[in-house]
Amino acid sequence: IINSIKANKIPNAYLFTGIRGIGKTTIARIVAKSLNCINGVENLCKDTFCENCDAISNSSHIDVLEMDAASKTGVDDVRDLIEFSKYGPTSSKFKIFIIDEVHMLSKQAFNALLKTLEEPPQYENGGSLKFIFATTEIKKIPITVVSRCQRFDLSRIKSSELFEFIVKIKEKENGKITDDALKLIVKMSEGSVRDALSL
């Protein structure tokens, strides 16, 4: 993804698929930051965030719209989105729509989206509109939509990596828990980071 942004060969839409709690929405926000970071993709913010990266982290960026298709599934919601897309970005290069649980959109909503997916608006600042979709159920998305996206299948997190990750959190939080208990949590979460953290 980073290389395609550096080479300026950015697809109109990214599609992240995988089990719940694996980081699809997190990666969507990281991609949005990579596209709109004030320092550029070569010098992405790491420890201290620029105003664009900070706003994207807090879901408050004016040009990066996050929508949960689980609650907004209708064609009217998508039409509002398309109407909003006609106006160029105000403070960054790209206007970005992150649509979570995209498989929940109705058939009419997908049809309304297709034309904009094929021919996204180009803006006066040289930027354009990008979509980032996330889903747990790829089979429910029309093939016409999938074929217009760059698709990434996110695999479950390996047990060893998940274990190391929650050990680090335990240390940061000064938590008291045995390695055996952590291993049980890892086993029960079946590769989902969010499930591991919740447990």
Side-chain angles (χ1 to χ4, degrees), residues 33-172:
K33 288 178 193 173
S34 306
L35 289 167
N36 279 343
C37 181
I38 289 169
N39 301 317
V41 71
E42 301 280 357
N43 303 296
L44 280 179
C45 299
K46 287 201 169 60
D47 301 318
T48 47
F49 284 171
C50 68
E51 57 191 75
N52 277 354
C53 288
D54 191 47
I56 291 167
S57 291
N58 301 322
S59 305
S60 60
H61 197 292
I62 193 161
D63 298 323
V64 180
L65 201 77
E66 285 190 38
M67 179 177 129
D68 185 2
S71 53
K72 294 187 172 180
T73 57
V75 67
D76 290 340
D77 297 309
V78 171
R79 284 198 184 123
D80 288 346
L81 210 65
I82 292 163
E83 189 57 38
F84 182 60
S85 76
K86 290 176 184 166
Y87 309 100
T90 48
S91 65
S92 50
K93 186 171 184 188
F94 295 100
K95 193 156 218 172
I96 300 168
F97 292 153
I98 297 173
I99 305 184
D100 220 350
E101 301 298 348
V102 69
H103 64 274
M104 302 285 280
L105 289 180
S106 67
K107 195 177 175 195
Q108 290 90 339
F110 274 124
N111 287 338
L113 202 58
L114 261 178
K115 187 161 171 33
T116 311
L117 256 184
E118 285 175 337
E119 297 167 22
Q122 298 295 318
Y123 302 121
E124 285 172 8
N125 72 343
S128 59
L129 172 68
K130 300 296 173 196
F131 287 95
I132 309 176
F133 301 134
T135 181
T136 47
E137 302 199 42
I138 188 90
K139 290 186 179 75
K140 290 186 179 174
I141 301 175
I143 194 77
T144 47
V145 173
V146 176
S147 65
R148 285 168 179 77
C149 302
Q150 196 170 61
R151 174 179 167 178
F152 294 89
D153 291 70
L154 306 182
S155 54
R156 291 169 189 268
I157 308 299
K158 290 188 191 116
S159 296
S160 55
E161 288 175 9
L162 193 47
F163 177 74
E164 283 168 24
F165 179 68
I166 54 179
V167 163
K168 276 186 196 156
I169 291 172
K170 177 196 83 166
E171 286 163 0
K172 270 187 185 167

